[in-house]
Amino acid sequence: MASKSSSKGSREPGTLAKTYLFLYNFLQVIGWSYLLLLLIKHYTSPKKESLWETVKLTVIIFQNAAVLEILHAAFRLVSSNVIITTFQVFSRVMVVCGVLLATPTGAASPGLGLALLAWSVTEIIRYMFYALNIVGFVPYLLVWLRYTTFIALYPIGVTGELLCLYAAQSYVAANQMWSVGMPNFLNFTFSYHYFMLIIMGLYVPLFPQMYLHMFAQRRKVLGGDGASSKKKQ
């Protein structure tokens, strides 16, 4: 998850920390907005290069920058849970670095466009929400978008990620990529192919849980009074 404003009972970050968090979230809004623009231009203008070549640098910079959010949580700059934040950040980093950067088949998957569309729109809304929450002004429309757009975007994003993983796993299996076989002096074996299959399998139990949790959060936030809903996540 991205940086959150402190909840009731949490230590309030100082002015310097708030300034840093605002700039971090604002820059992420700019980065993901630029990525969405690249995505739109790719599909609406004559294509001179692949989608991945068009967006690669932007995705690498702004998605991997989310690793900072683990430090935000660890140093209590935000109220996020460190373990949950780590899981959520590295699930995306896994797709970017372990699939899209690592394999030509993953980057060529039709799922890439779906994933990028869902990621970019979600992150623009999310980071804008966090940035404005820091300065104490979050329009209700933004709150509504944050807790409503996931209904369509989350399944789209998950579908895109799974398509990229599926396209990459055959390449990984054929090339035994990042795998360690026996025998070796550590008496250790690791199959990146099986690891990817396990990751894909985890989507089955985790997706419904996360999706239903989001609906519960939506009822909690949008079901309350307008003033409090602007402050909650």
Side-chain angles (χ1 to χ4, degrees):
M1 293 284 289
S3 307
K4 298 180 180 178
S5 62
S6 296
S7 60
K8 186 176 180 180
S10 299
R11 179 170 59 85
E12 184 75 12
T15 302
L16 184 61
K18 284 185 176 181
T19 301
Y20 161 74
L21 290 172
F22 176 82
L23 290 174
Y24 169 80
N25 287 299
F26 184 70
L27 288 173
Q28 285 282 29
V29 172
I30 294 175
W32 286 101
S33 297
Y34 179 62
L35 178 60
L36 181 59
L37 177 62
L38 291 176
L39 186 64
I40 293 171
K41 289 179 66 176
H42 177 80
Y43 286 112
T44 58
S45 60
K47 302 174 182 61
K48 297 181 180 179
E49 57 185 358
S50 68
L51 174 59
W52 179 237
E53 289 302 318
T54 300
V55 302
K56 179 167 66 174
L57 181 60
T58 306
V59 173
I60 291 171
I61 292 173
F62 290 97
Q63 182 54 65
N64 289 339
V67 173
L68 290 172
E69 293 164 29
I70 300 172
L71 299 180
H72 297 168
F75 288 103
R76 305 301 299 162
L77 294 180
V78 298
S79 58
S80 306
N81 180 282
V82 180
I83 296 175
I84 294 176
T85 300
T86 300
F87 175 80
Q88 292 174 329
V89 168
F90 274 105
S91 64
R92 286 267 200 93
V93 172
M94 159 69 186
V95 174
V96 172
C97 297
V99 173
L100 301 176
L101 274 175
T103 70
T105 53
S109 168
L112 177 60
L114 294 175
L116 292 179
L117 174 63
W119 292 0
S120 57
V121 176
T122 297
E123 300 297 50
I124 291 167
I125 295 170
R126 187 167 68 98
Y127 284 116
M128 181 64 75
F129 177 92
Y130 291 138
L132 294 181
N133 207 22
I134 290 170
V135 299
F137 175 72
V138 184
Y140 181 77
L141 176 61
L142 185 60
V143 178
W144 186 87
L145 288 171
R146 168 147 172 73
Y147 291 98
T148 303
T149 54
F150 79 88
I151 296 172
L153 294 176
Y154 193 46
I156 290 172
V158 167
T159 300
E161 291 170 26
L162 283 172
L163 287 173
C164 290
L165 281 160
Y166 181 77
Q169 59 84 28
S170 57
Y171 177 88
V172 170
N175 293 276
Q176 291 295 298
M177 195 180 80
W178 297 352
S179 299
V180 179
M182 295 282 281
N184 58 71
F185 74 98
L186 292 176
N187 199 32
F188 169 79
T189 183
F190 172 75
S191 170
Y192 186 56
H193 178 232
Y194 286 132
F195 175 75
M196 292 182 70
L197 294 178
I198 291 171
I199 294 296
M200 292 174 66
L202 288 175
Y203 276 75
V204 176
L206 293 180
F207 169 74
Q209 293 183 42
M210 289 299 297
Y211 202 45
L212 291 175
H213 173 72
M214 291 176 184
F215 273 104
Q217 289 295 98
R218 185 177 192 274
R219 288 191 297 270
K220 179 181 177 182
V221 174
L222 297 183
D225 62 89
S228 63
S229 67
K230 291 181 183 182
K231 294 292 185 181
K232 294 179 182 178
Q233 260 177 280

